[in-house]
Amino acid sequence: MKIYRQLDELPAATVPIVATIGNFDGVHLGHQGVIAEVIERAHFLGGTSLAITFDPHPARVLRPEQPHTLITPLAYKLELLAATGIDATLVLPFTAKLRHMQPREFAADVLLNAVHATEVHEGENFRFGYHAEAGIEGLEALGRELGFNVVVYAPRSVRGAPISSSRVRTLIAGGDVSYARALLGRSFAVDSTPAPGRGYGSKYAVPTINLAPYSELLPAHGVYVTTLTIGSGTAAEIFDGVTNVGNRPTFGADSFAVESHLLNFHPIELTEGTPLRLTFLRRLRAEQRFPSTEALRDQIGRDVTRTRRYFALCRKIT
């Protein structure tokens, strides 16, 4: 997938361009469905499929006083978009100029003159322009005026409710990573590195790894069945794990951590810069305070037993 980060980086259009616009936070099944249609249509026309997204997320610019954690930070989002098979992604900087564009200005300057869009595919709830002034009907009218077609999609639903990034975010924040998986089409994961200052050497021999501080979306405090991918590319290794997200209240003062106990661990090369991907599969229980470290140790043993059974069942099924 080609990645463009400014309008002037786009090549001259020599084939039809089929585009879709969105934040694509999570790259959930709704996004994937529209993108699949964009790709198919571009192939039919002998053209190029293009996703247009924004950085930073517009909510962080428009409502800076409201925390807005991302399901998929930009690097991970681009990885997921590439996995759809789309030809290219344009990452537009969400600047003051872009923010203040009127709907017609955006359609003419961006979609027509820069992108040279032949078709634009959007969900029926799409809004654009200053103060989100225009909706999908406005985009269709501008398309007729300026010479590009607009294809509109109804929201895709799971279990009778529409899929949306906000719904996925709410589920994950509440700890329901299993339900979130049904909307994402994959398990929720976060990318990080090992926590600094923990004495990682060239060979790391302790089966517990803490993530470095992570500022984006994490599941609710609790204990989860997880996998941890250590490293990248062909050298990456995947370990089964039990992960605690929370403040470890049994030990007194709050000390937030994302701490993974790896079940099939062996000593591994690990530095403070080693890439980690922690994937959340199922919530086991909420975080709780135990009367003693012995009681906590007993509960951890039960958590490990349940986790081993989970992985054994998954592997038997597959």
Side-chain angles (χ1 to χ4, degrees), residues 16-248:
I17 306 297
V18 183
T20 182
I21 313 162
N23 295 312
F24 303 115
D25 190 22
V27 194
H28 54 59
L29 288 176
H31 298 140
Q32 293 171 41
V34 174
I35 290 170
E37 294 292 338
V38 167
I39 293 169
E40 183 176 347
R41 183 63 176 162
H43 287 171
F44 177 79
L45 295 175
T48 296
S49 54
L50 174 70
I52 302 171
T53 192
F54 308 96
D55 185 52
H57 192 291
R60 291 183 164 175
V61 177
L62 300 174
R63 297 179 293 278
E65 73 285 354
Q66 299 178 13
H68 188 90
T69 53
L70 298 176
I71 305 166
T72 47
L74 181 61
Y76 189 19
K77 177 168 69 175
L78 291 173
E79 177 184 330
L80 293 170
L81 287 172
T84 68
I86 200 160
D87 294 318
T89 293
L90 169 62
V91 183
L92 280 179
F94 196 73
T95 60
K97 179 181 178 181
L98 184 63
R99 171 186 175 182
H100 287 90
M101 274 189 173
Q102 298 299 318
R104 192 184 190 286
E105 183 182 10
F106 180 83
D109 292 355
V110 176
L111 298 180
L112 181 65
N113 296 331
V115 173
H116 305 290
T118 301
E119 291 183 0
V120 179
H121 293 230
E122 294 300 330
E124 64 182 29
N125 297 321
F126 177 72
R127 301 203 67 83
F128 68 109
Y130 188 45
H131 291 314
E133 176 185 339
I136 196 67
E137 297 85 0
L139 183 63
E140 289 177 305
L142 286 165
R144 288 191 293 269
E145 176 189 342
L146 298 172
F148 57 83
N149 294 326
V150 176
V151 181
V152 183
Y153 297 84
R156 185 171 177 179
S157 296
V158 168
R159 301 181 190 177
I163 302 171
S164 68
S165 296
S166 59
R167 186 166 173 236
V168 172
R169 193 175 296 109
T170 298
L171 288 169
I172 294 169
D176 197 346
V177 295
S178 298
Y179 197 168
R181 178 169 61 242
L183 276 61
L184 290 170
R186 65 179 186 284
S187 297
F188 171 69
V190 302
D191 288 345
S192 188
T193 54
R198 295 182 62 84
Y200 298 122
S202 59
K203 277 286 184 183
Y204 189 66
V206 179
T208 300
I209 294 179
N210 285 22
L211 262 62
Y214 184 77
S215 60
E216 301 298 352
L217 183 66
L218 285 169
H221 290 191
V223 179
Y224 297 84
V225 178
T226 58
T227 60
L228 184 69
T229 303
I230 300 178
S232 59
T234 58
E237 293 194 61
I238 302 175
F239 296 90
D240 301 343
V242 182
T243 296
N244 183 78
V245 178
N247 292 318
R248 298 178 289 188

Side-chain angles (χ1 to χ4, degrees), residues 256-269:
F256 180 81
V258 180
E259 184 175 31
S260 295
H261 176 72
L262 307 183
L263 305 185
N264 54 337
F265 182 78
H266 62 78
I268 190 171
E269 300 287 340

